Structure formats: C-alpha cells, structure tokens
Amino acid sequence: MTHAIRFHRTGGPEVLQWETVDLPPPAAGEVRLRHHAVGLNFIDTYHRSGLYPLPLPSGIGLEAAGVVEAVGEGVDAFAPGDRVAYTSGPLGAYAEARNIEARHLVRLPENISFEQGAAMMLQGITAHYLLHATYPVKAGETILVHAAAGGVGSILVQWAKLLGATVIGTVGNEEKAVRARALGCDHVIVYSREDFVGRVREITAGEGVAVVYDSVGRDTFLHSIASLRRRGTMVSYGNATGPVAPFDCALLQKSGSIFVTRPGLFDYIATRDELCERSAALFEVVGSGRLRVEINQRYALSDAAQAHRDLEARKTTGSTILLP
C-alpha cells in the first residue's frame, strides 16, 4: 500500500484528496518508482479544475524524480537503484510511489539532486523547446517574457541571456521585480502599475520585440500581440488567467503580419530521441552552473491542496516541489 493525491470531481484545491492506493508489481515495460520529490506546475491546476478534462477519478501531476525499485518484464534500460526523472506519461506524479512505463524516464545525473530533477523537468524542457524550437532566439534580439519570476519564466530569462538576447520581463509586484532583475532581465515591467505595451515600445525605440513568451493567457494576449515587431512571433503557452478568447485573424495582419503559435510540451518530446536530447541539454546547462533552478517553496505531498492555493494566488516564485 502507498499514498497518492487523487480527485473524484473537478473544482478548487479542496477536491484533492490524500488516499491509500494499491500498487501492484510493475507490468511488462514498466518500472516501480519511489518518488523522492514531485514537481508542481500550473498545468496541474488545469487538470484539477477541469479546464483540461480528464476521466474521473484521476491521479494528478506530470513530473517527479526518484529511485527505481523494481522493473517489469522486458525492461533492460533501467535497474533497481537507478536515479531517474520524468515529465511525461499518464498523470499520477503526486504519489509516494508509482508504476510508470520505462520509456518515459531519463537517467538523473549524479550532479543533479532529486529536488532539482523534480523541479525542472517540465519547466526546463519547456524553456528549451520554446527558445530553441518554437522560436529559435538569436543573439542581439529583444524578447518579452511574461511571469519572469515564475517557474518557466525564471528559466527562460536565464537561458535567453545565455543565448545573447536582451530580455524584458513582466512581473506582478516589486518583490518579483527584484527577483527578475537578479535572474538577468535587462528591463523589468511591473504590469500591475505600468502599461507594458507602452514600456516595450519605449524600450525598443518603437520597434517592438521579436517574440513574446506568454503563459498568462486571456489577460495579456492582445497586449502581447501589440508589443511585437513586424512579423514578430506570439508564443502563447499557458492560461494562468484563463483561456484566450476567440479573435479575428485579420488582427494579425493589421498588427504587422504577426505569427501566433500555441505549443505544447508533449509535441516537442514526442519521440524518445527528442526527450533524451532536450533533457540532456537541460542537465548540461544546470549541471555546469550556468543556469540556476531555484526551489523557493517546498510542501509535504499531503499538503498539495495548499500548494495549489498558493500557486493560483501568485504567492510563489521560481519552482515549487512536493515532498513525499
């Protein structure tokens, strides 16, 4: 027997329940994994609330790090005792232990802790594909990163600086502005008291930015488009304030022939090779010390509901982990 967070109906954080669950031996192709740390991500709130519908009842959570305890028939890439991490596969990371298909796992280097692994797999690989594939950022370009002090945002800022970009970051308050500057933002806009479109135009001498990375959604989408240069790229990769409302595509031409994309992590790690390539790049840049994964909040796994409350209330910065 083990424990996991599950929910039987959608709604607020109160629907998350700490339950005892049976854990059978791993099936063919699976491993049994004992979690040492579990990642908290905004997409978890979309699953819990019903924004991204799921069959119920359901587990929750997409990333964790831990140690392999047992392997099923046909698994030869991993053995008991291996340190691993993951950010794909069926929901269910909010658990003390679980069975998961071995194809979703990557080996965790010795210089990466379990806490780092759980905190950065989803957010770090997201930052990698956004910066290197969705819109490959080039040295000398000016970019706009919303929620620059948040989980993905804080990694985007640092990695974009390594690529030679000038980074404008938006945040919700002065405390987060201090953090964004420390991460490397060249310019920080506190959107709660500043017109970020006007400030972006001022900073770029009227031109606008090459790309906007927007995880906020409904409240910023149109303003983000208005911040782009001619033929700029709008990357909408989250819905923190709700889904983007329908809009007239003619707006894109009127705004300078803008490109809009809505990427998703799982299309960028659709193959085993892609998963290993992106995770290896992430492990290298973190392991070398050139990029910091800052874990600013830790909660007991059984307190996942409170972690969700704090995340949705914008009380968190950087990465958050849940500890079994």
Side-chain angles (χ1 to χ4, degrees):
M1 303 291 282
T2 188
H3 293 90
I5 295 288
R6 294 178 60 78
F7 61 107
H8 297 256
R9 58 185 177 88
T10 56
E14 70 280 356
V15 303
L16 299 178
Q17 302 295 315
W18 181 242
E19 298 182 357
T20 300
V21 295
D22 290 321
L23 189 61
E30 291 184 339
V31 307
R32 185 172 69 235
L33 182 61
R34 176 67 54 180
H35 289 154
H36 285 232
V38 175
L40 175 73
N41 295 284
F42 226 99
I43 193 173
D44 302 346
T45 70
Y46 304 158
H47 291 140
R48 186 212 73 223
S49 68
L51 180 62
Y52 292 176
L54 299 168
L56 297 177
S58 176
I60 189 169
L62 283 166
E63 71 174 342
V67 173
V68 174
E69 288 191 329
V71 300
E73 181 182 353
V75 175
D76 53 17
F78 299 99
D82 285 347
R83 304 171 74 253
V84 297
Y86 66 90
T87 184
S88 61
L91 299 186
Y94 287 23
E96 294 174 323
R98 71 177 299 189
N99 294 330
I100 186 170
E101 289 182 272
R103 64 188 177 90
H104 297 303
L105 304 177
V106 295
R107 292 185 181 276
L108 196 62
E110 290 296 331
N111 63 344
I112 304 291
S113 71
F114 290 118
E115 291 195 356
Q116 287 176 307
M120 73 180 183
M121 283 293 290
L122 188 148
Q123 295 171 353
I125 292 177
T126 296
H128 182 271
Y129 81 70
L130 290 175
L131 291 168
H132 293 86
T134 303
Y135 179 87
V137 170
K138 297 177 283 294
E141 290 185 319
T142 301
I143 73 171
L144 177 62
V145 176
H146 286 306
V152 177
S154 62
I155 298 175
L156 279 173
V157 168
Q158 295 178 77
W159 217 330
K161 291 302 298 177
L162 293 176
L163 295 173
T166 296
V167 180
I168 305 171
T170 71
V171 295
N173 56 51
E174 191 56 46
E175 180 182 354
K176 291 183 177 182
V178 170
R179 172 173 164 73
R181 293 187 188 98
L183 290 166
C185 280
D186 298 279
H187 308 274
V188 180
I189 301 169
V190 182
Y191 63 80
S192 58
R193 58 177 172 80
E194 297 179 84
D195 168 19
F196 78 77
V197 177
R199 286 284 290 124
V200 166
R201 292 291 173 183
E202 178 184 348
I203 292 166
T204 60
E207 181 181 6
V209 294
V211 59
V212 179
Y213 294 109
D214 189 334
S215 62
V216 179
R218 180 181 57 207
D219 288 0
T220 54
F221 183 80
L222 295 179
H223 297 297
S224 293
I225 288 177
S227 301
L228 286 161
R229 72 186 184 190
R230 182 175 289 111
R231 299 196 303 275
T233 299
M234 170 63 191
V235 181
S236 176
Y237 71 97
N239 309 294
T241 60
V244 173
F247 65 96
D248 184 350
C249 284
L251 170 67
L252 306 181
Q253 183 272 323
K254 294 175 183 177
S255 300
S257 299
I258 299 303
F259 296 88
V260 175
T261 183
R262 181 60 168 87
L265 170 67
F266 306 114
D267 290 318
Y268 286 87
I269 54 171
T271 68
R272 177 76 184 166
D273 286 345
E274 287 178 308
L275 172 62
C276 291
E277 177 186 351
R278 297 196 192 283
S279 59
L282 176 63
F283 292 154
E284 192 281 326
V285 75
V286 173
S288 69
R290 291 179 294 145
L291 191 153
R292 303 188 312 278
V293 176
E294 297 186 355
I295 303 169
N296 294 335
Q297 297 80 213
R298 292 171 173 84
Y299 299 81
L301 179 57
S302 57
D303 290 334
Q306 186 59 50
H308 276 225
R309 291 186 188 97
D310 291 347
L311 179 64
E312 292 179 299
R314 310 294 192 272
K315 293 182 179 179
T316 65
T317 60
S319 296
T320 302
I321 58 171
L322 308 171
L323 298 174

